[in-house]
């Protein structure tokens, strides 16, 4: 996603503007169809990271291709500066905004990732990050890999939705509310809500391996994408500095457990994460200096969470290695 700001003291995230859905039942004008759409993501962005993880876990890589916007962008939007000729090799565009304006020549709202783009027309179909991963689980079910997990099981949807709502306001968006606050009171309110929620999550996860049930669900994915960026970006850059993740024993072990689970850590590029936050948010970091630290190889240390039981993929199996061209650099590279 791209951070959007209000003119008040409190950070307010603009709503997504392209909220059509890709469905299997004919309820929208965009049908589920292998090879028709391209997921545009960015390694830096937590909101896009959610879609990348779900696509990996469900094995949708053969039917939904993926383009990666680089960590740096300007007022013209996310750009493909890591690709040859600075253009997405499938869509042929330099800036993601070009695909938004293919959908609406007068589009003036946020140009965000993740976005699903129809390849033939080059137009954005949806940037509804909250609904997108749920639709990967439900609407694209016919194309899930054998052994794909159920990330949004019917029996637990109410509980998952409740946790997701809390995590969104206080954690996922909470770090942004702290980092982009324009006044001390707004910052302190967001800071307090963030760490109160992290404390509650620590208590919940002290006796259970995953947030809901005994398998990985959508709730774990949504929390984890913020945790994995916490020490690299939010602790220092966004002044969320009561504790580092590595100083919160339960959440640190939980985050390492998922990092070491196929489909999670193999989507993370810490260098791009830092390049984005420290290089783009010039109002917070005007020098553009990107920190060298923190140490990241500690993500591979033992976590001990297996003793809590649980089965990461339920009755299913882990995904295979990332497709050619989608692998991230090894830790410490």
């Amino acid at each position: 996603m791209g951070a959007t700001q209000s003119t008040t003291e409190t950070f307010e995230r603009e709503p997504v503007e392209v909220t059509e859905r890709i469905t299997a039942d004919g309820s929208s004008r965009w049908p589920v169809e292998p090879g028709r759409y391209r997921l545009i993501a960015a390694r830096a962005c937590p909101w896009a990271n959610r879609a990348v993880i779900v696509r990996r876990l469900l094995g949708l890589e053969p039917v939904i291709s993926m383009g990666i916007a680089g960590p740096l962008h300007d007022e013209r939007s996310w750009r493909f500066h890591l690709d040859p000729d600075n253009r997405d090799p499938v869509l042929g565009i330099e800036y993601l905004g070009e695909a938004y304006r293919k959908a609406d020549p007068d589009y003036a709202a946020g140009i965000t990732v993740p976005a699903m783009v129809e390849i033939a027309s080059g137009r954005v179909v949806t940037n509804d990050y909250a609904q997108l991963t749920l639709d990967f689980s439900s609407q694209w079910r016919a194309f899930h890999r054998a052994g794909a997990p159920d990330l949004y099981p019917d029996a637990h949807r109410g509980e998952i939705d409740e946790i997701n709502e809390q995590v969104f306001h206080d954690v996922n968006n909470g770090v942004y509310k702290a980092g982009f606050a324009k006044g001390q009171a707004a910052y302190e309110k967001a800071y307090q809500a963030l760490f109160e929620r992290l404390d509650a999550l620590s208590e919940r996860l002290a006796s259970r391996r995953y947030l809901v049930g005994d398998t990985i669900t959508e709730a774990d994915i949504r929390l984890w994408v913020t945790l994995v960026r916490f020490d690299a970006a939010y602790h220092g850059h966004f002044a969320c500095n009561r504790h580092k993740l590595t100083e919160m024993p339960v959440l640190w072990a939980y985050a390492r457990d998922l990092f070491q689970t196929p489909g999670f850590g193999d989507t993370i590029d810490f260098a791009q994460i830092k390049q984005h936050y420290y290089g783009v948010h010039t109002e917070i970091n005007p020098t553009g200096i990107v920190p060298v630290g923190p140490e990241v190889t500690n993500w591979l240390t033992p976590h001990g969470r297996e003793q809590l039981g649980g089965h990461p993929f339920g009755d299913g199996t882990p995904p295979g290695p990332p497709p050619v061209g989608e692998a991230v650099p090894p830790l410490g590279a």
Side-chain angles (χ1 to χ4, degrees):
M1 204 168 184
T4 53
Q5 302 178 58
S6 70
T7 56
T8 64
E9 286 194 350
T10 302
F11 169 82
E12 297 174 5
R13 185 172 296 279
E14 291 181 358
V16 293
E17 295 291 336
V18 190
T19 56
E20 294 191 78
R21 294 175 61 194
I22 300 169
T23 59
D25 60 4
S27 60
S28 77
R29 60 174 172 157
W30 302 107
V32 165
E33 183 180 321
R36 181 167 179 170
Y37 309 100
R38 185 163 175 82
L39 171 66
I40 300 300
R43 297 292 184 192
C45 175
W47 316 93
N49 197 181
R50 290 159 36 162
V52 175
I53 291 169
V54 173
R55 174 178 171 270
R56 281 272 293 126
L57 296 182
L58 300 180
L60 292 173
E61 297 103 326
V63 297
I64 302 173
S65 70
M66 183 170 71
I68 297 291
L72 302 176
H73 59 71
D74 55 30
E75 69 280 357
R76 290 170 290 184
S77 76
W78 293 92
R79 58 193 180 96
F80 298 94
H81 63 90
L82 301 180
D83 288 307
D85 300 322
N86 296 310
R87 293 183 178 275
D88 179 83
V90 173
L91 301 176
I93 58 176
E94 184 178 1
Y95 289 90
L96 181 56
E98 297 173 50
Y100 277 80
R101 284 184 285 276
K102 281 283 185 70
D104 177 3
D106 299 319
Y107 187 83
I111 296 170
T112 61
V113 289
M116 289 284 276
V117 179
E118 185 186 39
I119 295 172
S121 66
R123 62 178 292 174
V124 167
V125 172
T126 181
N127 71 340
D128 191 346
Y129 62 93
Q131 187 62 45
L132 182 60
T133 51
L134 301 182
D135 285 345
F136 280 177
S137 285
S138 60
Q139 303 302 311
W140 291 83
R141 189 176 296 274
F143 300 98
H144 290 183
R145 65 179 176 86
D150 187 352
L151 301 174
Y152 195 48
D154 289 338
H156 294 298
R157 287 188 179 183
E159 191 175 7
I160 292 171
D161 290 345
E162 181 180 4
I163 291 174
N164 285 347
E165 186 74 7
Q166 296 168 347
V167 167
F168 170 78
H169 287 292
D170 296 338
V171 181
N172 300 147
N173 202 39
V175 293
Y176 286 84
K177 288 189 286 188
F180 286 115
K182 298 300 185 183
Q184 187 70 31
Y187 161 71
E188 290 187 11
K189 181 179 179 180
Y191 176 101
Q192 181 175 352
L194 166 66
F195 282 101
E196 285 180 355
R197 183 64 59 195
L198 291 178
D199 287 342
L201 291 165
S202 292
E203 184 176 351
R204 180 182 183 91
L205 289 164
S207 59
R208 55 194 304 161
R209 192 171 179 185
Y210 305 110
L211 283 170
V212 180
D214 63 355
T215 64
I216 292 167
T217 67
E218 180 86 16
D220 297 294
I221 295 165
R222 295 191 183 197
L223 172 60
W224 186 81
V225 295
T226 296
L227 295 182
V228 77
R229 289 163 173 77
F230 201 88
D231 288 3
Y234 307 140
H235 178 271
H237 186 57
F238 280 174
C240 298
N241 57 3
R242 191 193 76 179
H243 291 103
K244 297 176 182 176
L245 177 66
T246 54
E247 296 167 344
M248 295 182 275
V250 172
L251 291 179
W252 173 225
Y254 166 80
R256 297 202 314 281
D257 185 5
L258 289 175
F259 188 95
Q260 295 169 32
T261 299
F264 285 82
D266 55 26
T267 70
I268 296 298
D269 186 321
F270 284 110
Q272 290 196 36
I273 289 170
K274 291 189 295 182
Q275 287 167 6
H276 171 72
Y277 283 97
Y278 288 94
V280 170
H281 302 152
T282 54
E283 69 274 33
I284 298 176
N285 185 43
T287 67
I289 294 173
V290 178
V292 175
E295 171 62 47
V296 294
T297 56
N298 54 2
W299 280 94
L300 300 180
T301 58
H303 51 76
R305 298 278 295 177
E306 303 93 337
Q307 63 184 347
L308 295 175
H311 306 279
F313 303 103
D315 295 329
T317 57
V324 175
E326 293 187 12
V328 297
L331 289 186

